[in-house]
Amino acid sequence: MRAFTSARDAGTPDELWLCEHPPVFTQGLAGKPEHVLSPGDIPVVATDRGGQVTYHGPGQVVAYPLMDLRRAGYFVKELVFRIEEAVIRTLRHYGVSGHRVSGAPGIYVRLDDPFSHARLQADKLDFNGLGKIAALGIKVSRHCSYHGVALNVDMDLSPFQRINPCGYAKLETVDLSTIGVSTTWTEAAAVLGHELRALLAP
């Protein structure tokens, strides 16, 4: 991603990478080592994205929108909003309601009823009753973005217990499988990719 972003010019087409990583913890630029509790045999890799520590592994769709924001005509806050909206629409495809929490990028679901369409009444950083289903971290260099979003589909969630996910102690992490949605990585990647392409277009 860094090489692509460094080499691109004003005429380079944007790209969307969809992938699945082997088990790895990634630490953001502002990442605090105390949030990595017990990594064990899983490597911890320093990255240049924003945010704290998260986990990537099999059964998780990772999407990297490589965008020229100046050409797209919007700033990084708008990019984050559009990426989050793509995840919300992907979850809606499966009947699940995704929610934003102010001040905590990513998408969350109600643990007691992920399929409830009632609005989340939260005007502060409050994860009570919520599980994080998608983590987000972006980097912008020369008006071009890289890194992106990770949607948990059907994965081993136990590595999240070895960290404070995104810097929040005891934040519960869920995937589509644990909230009752049966789908494949390929299908979830196709839905998320479709929504990202639609929402990120200028």
Side-chain angles (χ1 to χ4, degrees):
M1 289 184 294
R2 286 195 299 267
F4 175 86
T5 302
S6 296
R8 68 183 301 170
D9 58 31
T12 303
D14 294 332
E15 295 189 3
L16 174 62
W17 297 359
L18 298 168
C19 64
E20 186 178 27
H21 287 299
V24 62
F25 295 114
T26 64
Q27 185 74 286
L29 279 173
K32 297 179 180 179
E34 58 264 32
H35 292 311
V36 182
L37 307 176
S38 179
D41 58 349
I42 299 176
V44 180
V45 175
T47 72
D48 60 353
R49 62 163 171 78
Q52 296 282 334
V53 65
T54 194
Y55 169 71
H56 297 307
Q60 180 189 66
V61 177
V62 183
Y64 296 128
L66 308 176
M67 302 282 300
D68 183 331
L69 297 182
R70 185 158 46 190
R71 187 171 60 210
Y74 47 81
F75 296 102
V76 66
K77 285 187 178 180
E78 178 74 10
L79 173 66
V80 169
F81 182 88
R82 291 180 185 220
I83 292 173
E84 288 179 336
E85 185 63 26
V87 174
I88 289 171
R89 293 185 185 187
T90 299
L91 295 176
R92 190 180 302 151
H93 173 84
Y94 294 104
V96 175
S97 290
H99 302 276
R100 295 178 175 91
V101 173
S102 180
I107 297 300
Y108 303 80
V109 296
R110 280 191 173 88
L111 295 174
D112 61 347
D113 187 1
F115 303 94
S116 169
H117 298 306
R119 287 191 63 175
L120 187 66
Q121 301 298 321
D123 57 359
K124 60 181 181 177
L125 215 56
D126 183 4
F127 302 112
N128 186 38
L130 298 179
K132 191 163 193 175
I133 198 165
L136 189 149
I138 298 294
K139 174 71 174 180
V140 176
S141 174
R142 299 184 302 117
H143 306 285
C144 295
S145 72
Y146 57 106
H147 291 294
V149 66
L151 172 63
N152 305 333
V153 178
D154 186 1
M155 59 190 303
D156 176 9
L157 294 169
S158 63
F160 285 104
Q161 298 172 10
R162 305 189 197 180
I163 59 174
N164 291 330
C166 303
Y168 298 107
K170 299 181 180 178
L171 172 60
E172 188 159 351
T173 305
V174 297
D175 61 10
L176 285 171
S177 175
T178 58
I179 61 174
V181 173
S182 178
T183 189
T184 64
W185 185 96
T186 301
E187 181 188 350
V191 175
L192 179 59
H194 171 78
E195 297 295 350
L196 284 168
R197 283 189 290 271
L199 283 160
L200 294 178

